[in-house]
Amino acid sequence: MTATTSFSYRLDDWRGGHRTQPQEFAYWIEDITGTIPADLTGTLFRNGPGRLDRGGQKYHHPFDGDGMINQVSFREGRAFYRNRYVQTPEFQAEQRANKILYRGVFGTLKPGGWFNNIFDLRLKNIANTNVIYWGGKLLALWEAAPPYRLDPQTLDTLGLDNLGGLVPNGQGFSAHPRIDPQGFLVNFGVQTEPNSQINLYEFDQSWQLVRQQEHPINGFAFLHDFIVTENYYIFFQNPVNFNPLPYVLGWTGAAQCLQFDREQPTRILVIPRRGGAVRVFLTDPCFVFHHANGYEQGNELVLDSICYSHFPTIDQQTDYQTIDFASLPSGQLRRFRVNLTTHRVTNTLLLERCCEFPQVHPQRVGRAYQRVYLGVAADPVANAPLQGIMALDVPTGRQKLWLAGSRGFVSEPVFVPRGEAEDQGWLITFVYNAARQCSDIVILDAADVTPVATLHLHHHIPYGLHGSFTPVLFDA
Ligand code: CO
């Protein structure tokens, strides 16, 4: 497929990538089109919901799905694949009972109607959002709880890791840590009890805490991701209100109690990394899950984020597998400029095409940059499933696009550097191939976004969320 080709997709094809994968595999991939680069060495880890139903009952939203880790190890032109579920005690209890015992944040209810859900606010730790290898630890991340530590060699679950007591049970640790190019893992957690606050942490490569801050937050804060520049932590506080009553009464999940308020601005929170008060800047109402990147330029902050015109949610009555994509807002890449002196905030559209899962070269995180990689829809304007991978040169607007075909549905492209230049590397993405009803792992040359190898798995894996690459090799 070329950049000028667009096509329509069948919802039935897309739905096929939302089937539970109950099996765990471990094998050398033999069915390969193209050639795995001989100098691609290391391990890709990716997390995402692996189980999407239980005991005959579908989960209400894929974000409620149980975390399953995929590992792909690349060595001397070969690739080894393994997948394992994160064995949280809640997951194990449900496995034994073969029925839903816990409500999901995104609306999955226990069987038995509201009577069986009322006042039950226990959540299942689904450990499904991201997975990182840092400082000798492999951690599965889910923003509402401390991370789960796994054995990087076997993917065995080792247990909750409270990071030396810093993140006790009941506190969150976001699924979007940022790796500062100077060699620090920077992350935040949102704490709601006794009061709402943001906890900020910076760790060196041996998990020694080098910076820590706490700041109270005004109003309800749904914070999924953030930006870390040389001197600042930056959050977008979306204009949403939280009315927990339907959740407490057992009618809905917590996420359905979020209400987007078009009358309120989005608040951009800027916190100095070396200490100091939170500064608040206001911009037009929008909803942001993910930031592509951000950096400092004179007295301005340049912030590139994927914005939705309002919170893309599905109500309690709707089956997500029959969702009308056209009824939901699409994610679009916008550039915000925040003047720290005048408080003026402007924003411009960088990419109209529906996009998600932005990535940049790891050496450019929080620094001036030009190139962003994204999962994109095939249609240049309509909201639709992600079926392509794009490299966007931000200063010129030049685009390079690879489409997976009308029956291919992509996931996050993980950028694997092979040099210092922003286009020197590979992009690795999992593609659900509806024609085979199986998944492929596609390796693209980042420079021109063309495939160098397609690895055909002999089974499907459900659409995932986030992952990361380490040059450290773990394999069979
Ligand atoms: Co995310």
Side-chain angles (χ1 to χ4, degrees):
M1 288 289 167
T2 65
T4 51
T5 313
S6 185
F7 45 69
S8 56
Y9 64 93
R10 289 172 45 214
L11 198 63
D12 200 38
D13 278 349
W14 171 77
R15 211 169 7 234
H18 281 301
R19 286 172 293 133
T20 291
Q21 177 50 269
Q23 280 184 271
E24 295 182 326
F25 302 93
Y27 60 96
W28 287 95
I29 301 167
E30 303 290 350
D31 186 0
I32 297 167
T33 306
T35 307
I36 299 173
D39 53 341
L40 173 57
T41 305
T43 312
L44 177 82
F45 293 106
R46 199 203 66 178
N47 203 346
R51 175 166 279 288
L52 298 139
D53 62 62
R54 178 165 313 272
Q57 186 187 344
K58 267 192 264 180
Y59 293 174
H60 183 69
H61 195 291
F63 292 174
D64 282 341
D66 303 284
M68 185 180 84
I69 309 295
N70 296 273
Q71 170 204 341
V72 192
S73 301
F74 298 97
R75 173 159 61 110
E76 294 165 358
R78 300 186 68 206
F80 180 82
Y81 174 82
R82 173 183 278 128
N83 70 316
R84 300 285 299 275
Y85 277 92
V86 185
Q87 298 282 333
T88 73
E90 297 89 345
F91 173 78
Q92 291 176 326
E94 290 194 333
Q95 284 288 91
R96 281 192 298 271
N98 191 30
K99 90 180 190 201
I100 295 174
L101 303 176
Y102 295 88
R103 298 173 59 182
V105 175
F106 288 90
T108 301
L109 299 177
K110 297 185 294 181
W114 68 269
F115 187 75
N116 206 27
N117 287 276
I118 187 166
F119 301 134
D120 183 353
L121 306 185
R122 294 173 308 151
L123 288 179
K124 176 170 55 163
N125 185 333
I126 48 179
N128 73 354
T129 313
N130 199 352
V131 54
I132 53 159
Y133 182 74
W134 175 263
K137 289 184 182 184
L138 183 66
L139 299 176
L141 302 173
W142 180 59
E143 64 201 20
Y148 259 86
R149 187 170 177 187
L150 312 169
D151 182 332
Q153 205 69 52
T154 62
L155 300 183
D156 282 344
T157 301
L158 302 175
L160 267 183
D161 190 324
N162 63 19
L163 303 178
L166 283 171
V167 188
N169 238 338
Q171 273 188 34
F173 191 70
S174 127
H176 280 285
R178 295 276 172 181
I179 309 294
D180 182 291
Q182 294 198 312
F184 301 106
L185 182 143
V186 187
N187 202 8
F188 70 96
V190 175
Q191 187 176 329
T192 53
E193 298 289 333
N195 297 302
S196 289
Q197 67 176 39
I198 303 175
N199 300 322
L200 289 150
Y201 315 92
E202 298 200 27
F203 298 95
D204 68 13
Q205 291 178 29
S206 49
W207 284 105
Q208 293 301 305
L209 189 67
V210 292
R211 288 195 186 115
Q212 184 179 21
Q213 294 189 42
E214 296 169 1
H215 294 278
I217 325 170
N218 287 325
F220 177 75
F222 175 88
L223 305 175
H224 178 71
D225 189 10
F226 73 147
I227 290 173
V228 180
T229 64
E230 284 182 70
N231 294 296
Y232 300 103
Y233 312 112
I234 299 142
F235 294 88
F236 274 45
Q237 188 177 5
N238 300 304
V240 286
N241 300 316
F242 183 61
N243 165 21
L245 199 61
Y247 172 57
V248 174
L249 293 178
W251 297 342
T252 71
Q256 278 102 17
C257 302
L258 292 180
Q259 270 191 332
F260 191 80
D261 186 347
R262 290 165 203 269
E263 305 300 314
Q264 296 298 317
T266 290
R267 289 154 50 93
I268 301 175
L269 313 179
V270 178
I271 304 173
R273 280 174 77 177
R274 287 158 192 86
V278 180
R279 297 178 68 188
V280 180
F281 300 83
L282 305 181
T283 188
D284 303 331
C286 62
F287 194 92
V288 172
F289 290 105
H290 296 128
H291 302 287
N293 202 12
Y295 58 94
E296 299 162 27
Q297 191 176 59
N299 61 349
E300 283 195 330
L301 300 175
V302 179
L303 311 172
D304 296 344
S305 308
I306 296 185
C307 295
Y308 296 81
S309 60
H310 56 279
F311 179 46
T313 188
I314 50 175
D315 62 36
Q316 196 67 41
Q317 284 72 42
T318 305
D319 177 353
Y320 75 88
Q321 296 204 353
T322 62
I323 198 74
D324 174 13
F325 274 83
S327 72
L328 291 171
S330 64
Q332 295 177 315
L333 187 66
R334 281 190 172 272
R335 168 159 288 185
F336 295 81
R337 285 185 174 272
V338 178
N339 189 305
L340 295 170
T341 311
T342 65
H343 270 239
R344 186 175 140 85
V345 181
T346 59
N347 79 83
T348 51
L349 188 64
L350 296 182
L351 183 66
E352 182 181 17
R353 185 187 294 258
C354 166
C355 61
E356 255 300 350
F357 297 128
Q359 293 261 317
V360 300
H361 191 294
Q363 287 301 315
R364 305 315 315 161
V365 171
R367 307 292 186 268
Y369 84 112
Q370 298 204 351
R371 211 174 219 243
V372 58
Y373 302 98
L374 303 141
V376 296
D379 190 294
V381 288
N383 187 42
L386 304 179
Q387 296 192 275
I389 303 293
M390 177 181 283
L392 175 68
D393 186 68
V394 177
T396 64
R398 205 175 298 132
Q399 303 174 358
K400 289 187 173 143
L401 173 65
W402 171 76
L403 293 173
S406 63
R407 306 194 75 186
F409 299 88
V410 308
S411 309
E412 176 184 68
V414 175
F415 182 86
V416 179
R418 69 189 297 200
E420 294 289 310
E422 288 183 63
D423 65 351
Q424 234 180 339
W426 298 284
L427 299 162
I428 307 179
T429 189
F430 288 75
V431 178
Y432 175 66
N433 181 336
R436 294 200 305 121
Q437 298 189 7
C438 289
S439 296
D440 296 327
I441 298 165
V442 178
I443 306 169
L444 303 151
D445 186 326
D448 53 6
V449 196
T450 50
V452 294
T454 302
L455 289 54
H456 308 283
L457 302 182
H458 58 65
H459 51 84
H460 84 285
I461 40 180
Y463 299 120
L465 293 170
H466 303 291
S468 56
F469 182 86
T470 170
V472 181
L473 183 62
F474 301 103
D475 64 15

